[in-house]
Amino acid sequence: MSLLLFSLLSFITGAVAPGEPPRAELLFVGDAMQHQAQLDRAKEIGGDCYDYSGCFTLIAPEVTAADYAVCNLEVPLGGGPSYTGYPCFSAPDSYAKALKNAGFDLFLTANNHCLDRRDRAARRTLVALDSLGVDHIGTFHDAAQREKLVPFIKDINGFKIGFLNYTYGTNGIEPHDGVEVAMIERDRMADEIRKTRKAGAEIVVVTIHWGIEYVLLQNKNQESIADFLVDQGVDLIIGGHPHVIQPMKVVRNEKEGKDVLLVYSLGNFISNMKTADTRGGALVRAVIERGADGKAYFKEANYDTLFAAKPAGGNSNFTVIPSWMPEKIPAAQRAHWQLFERGARRIFDAHNVNVPPKHK
């Protein structure tokens, strides 16, 4: 086979070039929020259909380039006819559809806002995501469904990768009709990690909602939980909730002789938050490879920052702008972007361990 023909087939099929180990790239972003101003703008643009089509145009090529992309859906899909922002969120289905169209494959639903509209909306969210044909984990119709659906293992480029999702709480709202929310409970997490391995997962990813809002460094509780998860043999730990970025590092599991990716917080993916540190977030790319011995392992990771620009006149909407496209930042918001960018880079430069930026 000619090199040109192989290259073409590789592009079409995802095949690996001769001599290169099989690999898969996972991409993660932070909290996909939906505040009242975002709802109002989507309605202004699209009427009752709530149009989000322009929100993710710039970032979509990067998302779709990954083999599997994950976002935290931090709003229930309440079904209308009215929708609300903070403090009790409810968003239209078209918001989740726009995220899907941007390339996201897996939606995380275990977060502190998943019960904002109580059990009915929590269940409706799952039905809506099913209708869109996207994967989702973290909340379940009831305990029986959790037992049936966990472990969740996805075949990605020939790698069997298990995903789990947990939250510290639900803002004090308790389910009243049996909805199941995966909470940060060590015994239960350990059991589900074991089940995921036993079911054939080569790589285990734990996505977790934790930490203190608006604090740029992790706390002792996060560190303790992370140590626990590393001891359980997980390969990636991806955190959210603080609405600001926190450090990411590669740590060593000496017992199993492998590296583990630990991300404390990816910050906001899109929102209407206003303080400098909340105006954006990070995306992280994690590469999984298969060694000569046939075993899958986490190989390496890198990150980039993202800025959530507010509407800038005309028919513009809230827009996720990658840091490598500074020319796309609206002129009136460049000072806000620079404040966010400098703050995020300061934390990452000082505290990241072996997780470099892709674009400098």
Side-chain angles (χ1 to χ4, degrees):
M1 182 187 297
S2 72
L3 181 60
L4 178 62
L5 178 58
F6 183 87
S7 298
L8 178 61
L9 289 173
S10 296
F11 178 79
I12 296 171
T13 66
V16 179
E20 292 185 2
R23 62 164 43 197
E25 182 180 277
L26 310 180
L27 181 145
F28 302 86
V29 302
D31 303 334
M33 310 298 294
Q34 191 63 190
H35 292 99
Q36 191 62 50
Q38 294 169 268
L39 289 163
D40 293 344
R41 185 58 176 159
K43 187 173 177 64
E44 287 173 6
I45 295 172
D48 291 339
C49 73
Y50 286 83
D51 188 349
Y52 299 96
S53 58
C55 294
F56 310 114
T57 303
L58 297 177
I59 193 62
E62 192 72 15
V63 177
T64 56
D67 296 305
Y68 199 69
V70 183
C71 68
N72 173 47
L73 182 67
E74 197 154 351
V75 286
L77 304 174
S82 62
Y83 301 100
T84 54
Y86 182 83
C88 286
F89 291 106
S90 178
D93 294 358
S94 57
Y95 181 54
K97 185 176 181 179
L99 288 164
K100 176 196 174 180
N101 290 343
F104 289 102
D105 303 290
L106 175 63
F107 289 63
L108 310 176
T109 60
N111 54 64
N112 58 305
H113 287 289
C114 64
L115 295 180
D116 277 4
R117 290 299 187 93
R118 308 310 194 269
D119 293 48
R120 185 197 68 81
R123 287 196 174 99
R124 191 194 175 283
T125 301
L126 304 180
V127 172
L129 294 176
D130 284 339
S131 73
L132 290 173
V134 295
D135 298 331
H136 54 88
I137 56 172
T139 58
F140 309 89
H141 286 277
D142 50 34
Q145 188 188 47
R146 182 176 182 177
E147 286 294 326
K148 179 181 178 181
L149 297 183
V150 176
F152 171 75
I153 299 175
K154 195 76 177 178
D155 190 314
I156 303 169
N157 284 6
F159 295 89
K160 294 187 181 302
I161 303 180
F163 294 86
L164 296 161
N165 179 215
Y166 303 98
T167 180
Y168 76 93
T170 54
N171 289 348
I173 303 172
E174 297 293 335
H176 293 292
D177 190 28
V179 163
E180 183 79 2
V181 179
M183 307 293 287
I184 297 174
E185 300 165 335
R186 296 194 184 203
D187 288 347
R188 187 68 182 268
M189 291 193 300
D191 179 62
E192 292 186 337
I193 292 166
R194 283 193 297 270
K195 285 175 63 176
T196 302
R197 285 287 188 202
K198 187 174 181 181
E202 301 175 277
I203 297 290
V204 175
V205 181
V206 173
T207 56
I208 190 162
H209 214 67
W210 60 0
I212 305 300
E213 290 180 326
Y214 318 120
V215 177
L216 289 161
L217 294 176
Q218 74 277 6
N219 59 27
K220 294 297 184 184
N221 180 254
Q222 287 169 278
E223 291 175 351
S224 175
I225 295 169
D227 289 344
F228 169 78
L229 292 172
V230 171
D231 286 344
Q232 301 307 305
V234 307
D235 300 278
L236 280 72
I237 304 165
I238 309 293
H241 171 63
H243 300 303
V244 295
I245 61 90
Q246 292 180 344
M248 51 187 77
K249 54 187 68 179
V250 175
V251 300
R252 189 71 177 168
N253 180 335
E254 296 293 352
K255 182 172 63 176
E256 298 190 14
K258 66 180 183 180
D259 288 336
V260 178
L261 175 63
L262 169 58
V263 177
Y264 282 111
S265 176
L266 288 170
N268 287 329
F269 179 55
I270 191 168
S271 81
N272 185 46
M273 290 188 172
K274 296 177 174 61
T275 59
D277 292 333
T278 64
R279 288 296 301 271
L283 64 80
V284 66
R285 309 170 190 84
V287 174
I288 308 301
E289 282 193 358
R290 191 173 303 284
D293 59 0
K295 293 182 179 179
Y297 64 99
F298 160 69
K299 168 69 173 178
E300 61 190 7
N302 60 56
Y303 79 89
D304 274 307
T305 52
L306 311 165
F307 182 72
K310 300 182 190 301
N315 211 38
S316 66
N317 206 333
F318 288 81
T319 306
V320 177
I321 303 179
S323 60
W324 62 89
M325 296 183 182
E327 73 281 0
K328 300 293 186 181
I329 307 289
Q333 299 180 51
R334 284 179 185 162
H336 299 282
W337 167 68
Q338 288 169 348
L339 281 172
F340 162 74
E341 184 73 7
R342 282 198 296 264
R345 295 285 181 160
R346 188 180 305 117
I347 290 295
F348 289 147
D349 289 348
H351 299 282
N352 275 20
V353 178
N354 293 327
V355 185
K358 180 176 181 180
H359 297 88
K360 294 185 179 181

